[in-house]
Amino acid sequence: MSRYSSGNRAGAVIAIVADIMALILGLWILMYLLDANRANELVQFVHNVANWLAGWSRDLFTFDKAWARVVAGYGLAAVVYLFIGHAIAGRMTRH
């Protein structure tokens, strides 16, 4: 039984959306680290969506290594979306 099953369904939807956003960002980080083929349509789609989601944090850090900038910038966005999304969902299910 889910912790949202007896509560507000809107809270569950918000949590799921936050999870999907973080999943896309994590998927892009993984694709980048594994040097996925950027000409592939799926890779392009994930990259475009991740760029949009992490627009505010994408170039926030200036590490020397490109992989560190990607992990920090996109990873920060994923963590923030998870934290905020689940915090909102938790407050909605309590009310």
Side-chain angles (χ1 to χ4, degrees):
M1 186 173 253
S2 170
R3 77 182 219 195
Y4 300 112
S5 63
S6 63
N8 189 340
R9 296 281 181 209
V13 170
I14 290 172
I16 290 169
V17 169
D19 291 344
I20 291 170
M21 292 165 64
L23 177 71
I24 292 169
L25 290 163
L27 185 58
W28 170 244
I29 292 170
L30 183 64
M31 287 179 170
Y32 182 87
L33 293 175
L34 295 175
D35 199 26
N37 179 8
R38 302 255 176 112
N40 181 282
E41 289 184 23
L42 176 63
V43 175
Q44 289 176 359
F45 174 76
V46 171
H47 186 211
N48 290 337
V49 174
N51 272 341
W52 184 78
L53 289 172
W56 59 271
S57 67
R58 188 174 55 232
D59 295 322
L60 191 62
F61 302 100
T62 58
F63 297 114
D64 291 335
K65 302 288 183 181
W67 68 266
R69 287 190 304 270
V70 169
V71 170
Y74 291 89
L76 175 64
V79 169
V80 167
Y81 289 135
L82 281 175
F83 179 76
I84 291 174
H86 283 269
I88 292 170
R91 291 196 50 94
M92 290 182 78
T93 56
R94 281 185 243 144
H95 294 294

